[in-house]
Amino acid sequence: MGILQAMGLEIAGLGVGLFAGAVGWFVVRCVLTGFFSVDQSERAVKVRFGRAVRLAGEPTTKAGPVSEGLVRADEDRYVYPQVEVIPPGGPYFKWPWERVVKVSVATQTLNMAYDPESHDANEGGTVLEAVTKDQLNTGLTGQLRYRVSEQNLYAYLFAVKNPIAHVMGYFISILRERIASFEAPPPPVVEGTVQAVEATAVSGVSINDLRKNMRDLNEHMDRESRGSLSRYGIVLDASLITGIDPPPEVDSALAAINTAHNHVSSDISLAQAAADQKIVQSHRAVELETLKAQAEVEPLTALSAQLTLLKQSGPGALEAYLRNIRLGLFSKASQVVMGVKR
């Protein structure tokens, strides 16, 4: 009291000042800093007293489409609560005891050899090594397209410490397992054709099979990576494997094999074309001979029909016709040798 009187202040004035200060602090802390907005490519989640705000009834990801990509054995391992997602827009309001966590849901692209925890790994994040079924080291290049899913934001924001690292490890393990066990399906070819010889020439070389079936490999990765949504809250939109390159010493051997294969295929194609040409020529020769035979038979057939008609026209008609023909021949002949009956 003495101090206040010494400073020239009164108790009532001090109380008013404290009240005004508290009101001012409340306005600045709650009103001016309590509003926020969410960009179009973002989603937000409120954290109230350190706990993410759940949906009413507190459902989990075990029920619904989020868990569809999981195998049955993992359904109980990856169960996360579903939180209230704040869509783009605003302004929204939060209390001082609330915290807003924003995350971008835009589609992003990564090199599939990128290691978030070691930027020097995989040759600086450019080439991913894998071992094929026939024990050959091969380098894979390509890209990975992903986005954060608002259907499982709890897993991405709060459950997994480094989701990108987990997703990359998950994807790489699936890819290496597929490369190590990949076996191309037998092509539906007819025995003895060029395609059958080509299939035999390159069989047993897994890198050739992988290169020929790169589309199937990408589709397999898309199917097997669907579990990343329920595991880490990240959707792998597509895996784009663009290159499968063996080591230099293996590459030269593969080049020699492919060259020999192309040479054999070329020779077989030429032989097949020559055989086809001979078959066509044989068919045409048979058609010509058939037409010639028909041309020789046709007059005889017409003569037979004419003689039959003459024979049916009356007795002696055929003998008269033969006599007229004989007389015509005699008129054209210079000499005639006739037999005499005895």
Side-chain angles (χ1 to χ4, degrees), residues 24-94:
W25 177 86
F26 180 81
V27 171
V28 173
R29 182 68 180 85
C30 299
V31 178
L32 298 183
T33 63
F35 292 98
F36 66 96
S37 61
V38 180
D39 292 339
Q40 288 296 323
S41 61
E42 291 181 337
R43 300 294 185 271
V45 175
K46 279 185 179 179
V47 178
R48 187 176 299 152
F49 297 115
R51 186 175 188 267
V53 178
R54 270 72 163 172
L55 291 176
E58 298 194 359
T60 64
T61 57
K62 188 174 183 179
V66 177
S67 61
E68 291 180 354
L70 285 176
V71 296
R72 187 174 298 276
D74 293 336
E75 287 181 351
D76 295 331
R77 294 180 57 193
Y78 300 97
V79 180
Y80 301 109
Q82 295 189 17
V83 296
E84 288 185 2
V85 179
I86 302 175
Y92 299 104
F93 182 77
K94 69 178 181 64

Side-chain angles (χ1 to χ4, degrees), residues 79-209:
V79 180
Y80 301 109
Q82 295 189 17
V83 296
E84 288 185 2
V85 179
I86 302 175
Y92 299 104
F93 182 77
K94 69 178 181 64
W95 294 104
W97 52 86
E98 291 180 335
R99 181 169 58 92
V100 176
V101 181
K102 298 179 182 179
V103 62
S104 174
V105 294
T107 301
Q108 302 184 49
T109 303
L110 282 177
N111 193 312
M112 65 170 56
Y114 171 69
D115 189 340
E117 297 181 337
S118 177
H119 297 288
D120 296 332
N122 300 329
E123 299 183 12
T126 57
V127 179
L128 178 66
E129 290 188 353
V131 180
T132 62
K133 187 178 181 180
D134 46 4
Q135 307 300 319
L136 293 177
N137 288 331
T138 182
L140 305 175
T141 56
Q143 295 179 335
L144 187 65
R145 196 166 60 207
Y146 74 95
R147 60 181 171 84
V148 178
S149 173
E150 60 181 285
Q151 294 179 306
N152 195 10
L153 279 183
Y154 187 92
Y156 181 82
L157 294 176
F158 309 110
V160 183
K161 183 177 180 180
N162 192 348
I164 299 300
H166 283 269
V167 166
M168 292 303 296
Y170 176 65
F171 176 81
I172 290 172
S173 63
I174 295 175
L175 179 59
R176 282 177 170 161
E177 189 275 335
R178 183 60 175 170
I179 294 292
S181 61
F182 185 82
E183 186 174 350
V189 296
V190 180
E191 187 176 356
T193 60
V194 179
Q195 290 77 13
V197 175
E198 291 178 349
T200 304
V202 299
S203 62
V205 184
S206 57
I207 293 181
N208 281 336
D209 293 340

